[in-house]
Amino acid sequence: VQLQASGGGLVQPGGSLRLSCAASGSIFSIGVMGWYRQSPGKQRELVAITTSDGSAKYADSVKDRFTISRDNAANTVSLQMNSLKLEDTSVYYCYAVVRESVDASPSGYWGQGTQVTVSS
């Protein structure tokens, strides 16, 4: 299973970016799917995750600014980031819990990370 993330870049404070992540490979089903971020010297932290039934959880720091969405048929998840702040600068990682077959146990997978830089 591979997770391919895209959409990072440089944006000014108050701007917007959209991250996308596509899962591919041997996939029977995906449970949780979402985004974490990690800055230098800090632990990786949850940004937003969504379950297969569409429920979502957000970090308090991004509520009302970020929106996570998911396409179960395409095995993709996106993160619309609005009103970006300097402190949102980080490497963003896609994450998914995948069952590779009907008999397999769920396993967690990480994407390669995409850099988001908010700077004036």
Side-chain angles (χ1 to χ4, degrees):
V1 175
Q2 297 83 39
L3 300 180
Q4 182 66 46
S6 60
L10 173 65
V11 65
Q12 292 186 337
S16 298
L17 279 176
R18 185 176 181 86
L19 305 182
S20 296
C21 176
S24 62
S26 178
I27 298 172
F28 173 74
S29 66
I30 301 178
V32 168
M33 199 170 189
W35 298 90
Y36 287 71
R37 67 188 181 188
Q38 187 170 21
S39 300
K42 295 186 177 181
Q43 288 189 329
R44 192 168 296 187
E45 63 176 2
L46 180 146
V47 178
I49 55 172
T50 181
T51 59
S52 56
D53 65 0
S55 61
K57 177 181 179 179
Y58 295 90
D60 288 341
S61 59
V62 308
K63 280 181 182 176
D64 301 323
R65 299 189 297 121
F66 292 9
T67 302
I68 190 169
S69 60
R70 175 172 174 168
D71 184 334
N72 289 326
N75 293 329
T76 60
V77 64
S78 297
L79 185 69
Q80 179 64 42
M81 305 185 292
N82 298 329
S83 302
L84 283 160
K85 302 177 179 181
L86 297 176
E87 53 264 39
D88 294 319
T89 295
S90 192
V91 178
Y92 286 69
Y93 295 89
C94 179
Y95 176 75
V97 177
V98 178
R99 291 178 68 191
E100 296 188 41
S101 69
V102 65
D103 298 320
S105 297
S107 295
Y109 293 88
W110 293 95
Q112 82 280 14
T114 184
Q115 177 70 46
V116 171
T117 302
V118 184
S119 175
S120 55

